[in-house]
Amino acid sequence: MMNHDQPSAKDRCGKIWSGMQLLKDTTESKHFLPTGLEGIDTLLGGGLRQGQLTEVTGPSSSGKTQVCLHSASLVAAKHMGVVMYLDTSNSFSPSRVATIIDGSSDVFGQRGFDLQPKDMRLKSVMRSIICESVFDIFALFEVLHQLEGSLLNDKVNNGGSKICLLIIDSISSLLAPIIGGKYPQGRSMMISVAMILKKLADEHNLSVLVTNHTVSAGNGAVKPALGESWRAVPHVRLVLSRECGSNICTATVLKHTLKVFPL
Amino acid sequence: MLSEEQSQKHITTGSGDLNNILGGGIHCKEVTEIGGVPGVGKTQLGIQLAINVQIPVEYGGLGGKAVYIDTEGSFMVERVYQIAEGCISDILEHFPHSHEKSSFAQKQLQPEHFLADIYYFRVCSYTEQIAAINYLEKFLGEHKDVRIVIIDSVTFHFRQDFDDMALRTRVLSGLSLKLMKIAKAYNLAVVLLNQVTTKFAEGSFQLTLALGDSWSHSCTNRLILYWNGNDRYAYLDKSPSLPVASAPYAVTGKGVRDAGNSNHKRVRVT
């Protein structure tokens, strides 16, 4: 017996795209958001792609938070949209954002912003960055659901500046207390976070950047944390490493859906 | 947010050089991890911070109280008294015109008052440590003038009793998230003192901080204390806004001070 209150199968399965529609969407609306760091942008093929989940992993103090801060500053400074920064280790530092913007003066040469005094520029940048502290996985779910709700409302109202970049630094510290051991829901929560993030990225044209840490893989090698189930989740994975006592970090691509790397 | 950050006061460590590499001192709203070999001065630095946070606002400090969670029993009260006296004599030296200020403020500068404003918790097992941190939130709700929480040391109880490493990782990451939350919510600094262990990497044994790789991601800033010959050095290993840097410091009879005058230095014990 058909229940007339339920939506029909056609409504439930989401929009069906034709190949041409997909191509049009990809070339026209899925832009690359630059991180501001040349080497990383090159590896990423232009920057953080909208609609994709990018992961940056690496041992402690290898520069992951710096990549996040750079992307946030640059995207906000170029007025590409609003940045949402979810911080789990109280590392978001407005003075660091100010230093980054002051350092990248070529951005403003293009747009003729050098007329604006420094603090005005900084204020407009800070207004485009929403920073929230999340300290456990449930708070993260809460924030993501609220974000989803507000984005759906915006679609209806066609509101002002939309969010274009979502940064979570770091997602591994939120997932670490629940994964493994006798708590079986841990892994399922990790996968549901992954699904929500990918859905947000796809439906609302966001670029999602998450950071992960590394654990030892035996014999002194390191591998990204969060295990095998998480490996398949991000579209692009980068590993950062820093040599002892130097300021130079190297990035390696672990996985990229659009590029082929010689083995 | 920017103006808030700029108006944040930092907790001085007692040594000017050390303050410089830390960007003014220990930051509030952040978790700082300090690690080093035994004998390099971690507990001394912890005690110095517990005293320095109490420097009254008139003299450039925060005028707050301290919570000291001791897991090893290394909190020697006589030494704390000595460091408090040293801190007071330095304040009076720096502010000689304070004789004109109200004598009330001066009367408050007694070592006994400094000792009275340190809330001391002694924990003897890892369950007590977890319980103490869980209780901290309630405690801080009642005592809103606490501006620093020091845990000395966070490693001790997690090294011996744990067979299940995965459980240890989970418990520690939960602990660190709670501490982050407390630091942010109550606008205080959290300082964790850590021990060292050896790690086999790149074909040789190296000294690294204890508690593993996943713990190394759980702090906002990390400071490593080490010996260089007969001198003590501090190395800022991890910070979101400051460059990596190194600075010498000394532990004198008065507490942690700048390296330089070698008369009061305690020599390395090997």
PDB file of all heavy atoms in Angstrom, chain A residues 35 52 78 83-84 98 103 184 210 215 254:
ATOM      1  N   THR A  35      45.830  28.467  -1.067  1.00  0.00           N
ATOM      2  CA  THR A  35      46.254  28.462   0.319  1.00  0.00           C
ATOM      3  C   THR A  35      47.252  29.569   0.582  1.00  0.00           C
ATOM      4  O   THR A  35      47.526  29.909   1.710  1.00  0.00           O
ATOM      5  CB  THR A  35      46.956  27.138   0.679  1.00  0.00           C
ATOM      6  OG1 THR A  35      48.094  27.000  -0.154  1.00  0.00           O
ATOM      7  CG2 THR A  35      46.036  25.974   0.480  1.00  0.00           C
ATOM      8  N   GLN A  52      35.348  19.462  -2.416  1.00  0.00           N
ATOM      9  CA  GLN A  52      36.220  18.352  -2.035  1.00  0.00           C
ATOM     10  C   GLN A  52      36.681  18.492  -0.608  1.00  0.00           C
ATOM     11  O   GLN A  52      36.748  19.581  -0.049  1.00  0.00           O
ATOM     12  CB  GLN A  52      37.444  18.324  -2.939  1.00  0.00           C
ATOM     13  CG  GLN A  52      37.146  17.744  -4.298  1.00  0.00           C
ATOM     14  CD  GLN A  52      38.422  17.424  -5.037  1.00  0.00           C
ATOM     15  OE1 GLN A  52      39.494  17.854  -4.659  1.00  0.00           O
ATOM     16  NE2 GLN A  52      38.289  16.649  -6.092  1.00  0.00           N
ATOM     17  N   LYS A  78      40.966  37.988   0.099  1.00  0.00           N
ATOM     18  CA  LYS A  78      40.572  38.164  -1.303  1.00  0.00           C
ATOM     19  C   LYS A  78      39.066  38.238  -1.469  1.00  0.00           C
ATOM     20  O   LYS A  78      38.567  38.270  -2.592  1.00  0.00           O
ATOM     21  CB  LYS A  78      41.097  36.980  -2.125  1.00  0.00           C
ATOM     22  CG  LYS A  78      42.555  37.073  -2.438  1.00  0.00           C
ATOM     23  CD  LYS A  78      42.937  36.047  -3.493  1.00  0.00           C
ATOM     24  CE  LYS A  78      44.351  36.301  -3.958  1.00  0.00           C
ATOM     25  NZ  LYS A  78      44.795  35.286  -4.913  1.00  0.00           N
ATOM     26  N   VAL A  83      34.932  32.344   5.853  1.00  0.00           N
ATOM     27  CA  VAL A  83      35.673  31.156   6.266  1.00  0.00           C
ATOM     28  C   VAL A  83      35.178  30.738   7.642  1.00  0.00           C
ATOM     29  O   VAL A  83      35.051  31.568   8.537  1.00  0.00           O
ATOM     30  CB  VAL A  83      37.186  31.462   6.364  1.00  0.00           C
ATOM     31  CG1 VAL A  83      37.935  30.241   6.840  1.00  0.00           C
ATOM     32  CG2 VAL A  83      37.716  31.937   5.029  1.00  0.00           C
ATOM     33  N   MET A  84      34.903  29.461   7.802  1.00  0.00           N
ATOM     34  CA  MET A  84      34.524  28.986   9.134  1.00  0.00           C
ATOM     35  C   MET A  84      35.674  28.154   9.672  1.00  0.00           C
ATOM     36  O   MET A  84      36.069  27.168   9.054  1.00  0.00           O
ATOM     37  CB  MET A  84      33.278  28.131   9.032  1.00  0.00           C
ATOM     38  CG  MET A  84      32.827  27.671  10.391  1.00  0.00           C
ATOM     39  SD  MET A  84      31.071  27.662  10.456  1.00  0.00           S
ATOM     40  CE  MET A  84      30.830  27.629  12.201  1.00  0.00           C
ATOM     41  N   ALA A  98      47.103  38.614  11.055  1.00  0.00           N
ATOM     42  CA  ALA A  98      47.554  39.958  10.682  1.00  0.00           C
ATOM     43  C   ALA A  98      48.931  39.894  10.053  1.00  0.00           C
ATOM     44  O   ALA A  98      49.191  40.533   9.021  1.00  0.00           O
ATOM     45  CB  ALA A  98      47.573  40.847  11.918  1.00  0.00           C
ATOM     46  N   GLY A 103      52.250  40.236   5.237  1.00  0.00           N
ATOM     47  CA  GLY A 103      53.342  39.660   4.468  1.00  0.00           C
ATOM     48  C   GLY A 103      52.992  39.463   3.010  1.00  0.00           C
ATOM     49  O   GLY A 103      53.838  39.525   2.134  1.00  0.00           O
ATOM     50  N   PRO A 184      32.227   0.765  20.382  1.00  0.00           N
ATOM     51  CA  PRO A 184      32.090   0.511  18.949  1.00  0.00           C
ATOM     52  C   PRO A 184      31.515   1.678  18.168  1.00  0.00           C
ATOM     53  O   PRO A 184      31.707   1.768  16.963  1.00  0.00           O
ATOM     54  CB  PRO A 184      31.144  -0.691  18.904  1.00  0.00           C
ATOM     55  CG  PRO A 184      30.390  -0.632  20.183  1.00  0.00           C
ATOM     56  CD  PRO A 184      31.295  -0.022  21.186  1.00  0.00           C
ATOM     57  N   VAL A 210      40.756  19.616   6.568  1.00  0.00           N
ATOM     58  CA  VAL A 210      40.896  19.075   7.923  1.00  0.00           C
ATOM     59  C   VAL A 210      42.357  18.728   8.164  1.00  0.00           C
ATOM     60  O   VAL A 210      43.102  18.448   7.228  1.00  0.00           O
ATOM     61  CB  VAL A 210      40.022  17.804   8.151  1.00  0.00           C
ATOM     62  CG1 VAL A 210      38.574  18.125   8.018  1.00  0.00           C
ATOM     63  CG2 VAL A 210      40.419  16.696   7.245  1.00  0.00           C
ATOM     64  N   VAL A 215      50.667   8.753  13.660  1.00  0.00           N
ATOM     65  CA  VAL A 215      51.033   7.801  14.710  1.00  0.00           C
ATOM     66  C   VAL A 215      52.158   6.941  14.147  1.00  0.00           C
ATOM     67  O   VAL A 215      52.401   6.930  12.949  1.00  0.00           O
ATOM     68  CB  VAL A 215      49.842   6.903  15.103  1.00  0.00           C
ATOM     69  CG1 VAL A 215      48.821   7.694  15.867  1.00  0.00           C
ATOM     70  CG2 VAL A 215      49.212   6.278  13.887  1.00  0.00           C
ATOM     71  N   LEU A 254      49.610  12.156  -0.828  1.00  0.00           N
ATOM     72  CA  LEU A 254      49.355  10.740  -0.613  1.00  0.00           C
ATOM     73  C   LEU A 254      48.283  10.233  -1.553  1.00  0.00           C
ATOM     74  O   LEU A 254      48.266   9.100  -1.950  1.00  0.00           O
ATOM     75  CB  LEU A 254      48.845  10.519   0.814  1.00  0.00           C
ATOM     76  CG  LEU A 254      49.872  10.296   1.897  1.00  0.00           C
ATOM     77  CD1 LEU A 254      49.143   9.955   3.180  1.00  0.00           C
ATOM     78  CD2 LEU A 254      50.776   9.145   1.525  1.00  0.00           C
TER      79      LEU A 254
END
